[in-house]
Amino acid sequence: MAERPYIVGNWKMNGTRAMLSEVRAIDRSSQRLMKVEVALAPPYTLIHAVHREVEQIGVGAQDCHPGVDGANTGDISASMVADAGAKFVILGHSERRENHNESSELIRAKITAAVEAGMRVILCCGESEATRDAGDAEAFVTKQIRESLPDVLDNPTDQLTVAYEPIWAIGTGRTPTLDDIAAMHSSIHSTLVELYGEDHAAQVRILYGGSVKPDNAKELLAVDGVGGALVGGASLAAESFLGIVLAAAEAQDQ
């Protein structure tokens, strides 16, 4: 597992320039917590503004189109978000899969486009409550990963992060048991070994996402195989997001 935990804030469809003060606070405090890699994925409209404000944290996008350019009204290509200052892009989030009917085949094409544009990818995966209750969670998630990832990545260690987000835990305040999280992260790691080999897979961080908050972050980040967190609502305010970053730093000391 990579040494530093990776804490990423996904702002989703939230944020205007009025929130840049939160960005500055997160960035300045992160400079004192160098044991943790911190990043934010604001909406498209703020990528450039956030990029200009920060000195330490990473800046990314929440999605990109698989095409380089063309007649795709309203879409944003990988090269465009990279040009705005994004260093990574979140792809395959359950809200994109469900609300926009995105298939794993489409996500694979987006990953290829993002990597070709020089960005790191955070691939999201996760199961519904019905799939979990049926006992099919690990099989579903590993199939999702196999179908979404390209067969070949030049350098998976630097190009790929995986985020496990059980759909039923996102924004609900519910989380799986720690044993369930450990089992899922182990299955994801095994899948990455099959795809890219042990040396690369050992360095790909697998994040947990789904109602991560300052009061549960420490125990979640202590789970074997958890290499960080993808944070939704709690990343919108510096105080709550930095509480998670601090928990990650403290976990490194133990």
Side-chain angles (χ1 to χ4, degrees), residues 214-230:
D215 60 0
N216 66 8
K218 192 170 184 178
E219 66 174 1
L220 291 172
L221 292 166
V223 173
D224 188 39
V226 174
L230 182 58

Side-chain angles (χ1 to χ4, degrees), residues 117-157:
M119 291 188 292
R120 178 192 293 177
V121 169
I122 298 177
L123 170 64
C124 296
C125 56
E127 82 284 0
S128 67
E129 187 171 24
T131 299
R132 164 66 61 178
D133 291 343
D136 298 327
E138 290 181 34
F140 178 87
V141 168
T142 54
K143 180 174 183 288
Q144 213 175 37
I145 292 171
R146 289 188 183 95
E147 292 178 347
S148 299
L149 283 174
D151 294 331
V152 177
L153 287 175
D154 292 337
N155 188 354
T157 299

Side-chain angles (χ1 to χ4, degrees), residues 6-8 122 125-127 132 161-178 180-182 184-185 188 205-213 216-217 219-232 244:
Y6 190 28
I7 308 297
V8 183
I122 298 177
C125 56
E127 82 284 0
R132 164 66 61 178
T161 299
V162 176
Y164 167 57
E165 292 193 304
I167 297 170
W168 50 273
I170 298 173
T172 65
R174 301 172 57 201
T175 58
T177 68
L178 300 183
D180 285 342
I181 294 172
M184 183 62 80
H185 280 239
I188 292 171
R205 287 173 291 195
I206 305 171
L207 314 182
Y208 173 75
S211 296
V212 180
K213 306 181 185 105
N216 66 8
E219 66 174 1
L220 291 172
L221 292 166
V223 173
D224 188 39
V226 174
L230 182 58
V231 184
I244 296 169

Side-chain angles (χ1 to χ4, degrees), residues 63-101:
D63 187 43
C64 69
H65 191 275
V68 176
D69 51 32
N72 301 296
T73 301
D75 287 316
I76 309 290
S77 72
S79 60
M80 288 174 177
V81 294
D83 184 60
K87 303 300 182 186
F88 69 91
V89 59
I90 298 170
L91 295 170
H93 194 281
S94 61
E95 291 160 0
R96 299 291 309 179
R97 291 181 187 265
E98 293 188 343
N99 300 340
H100 297 271
N101 299 312

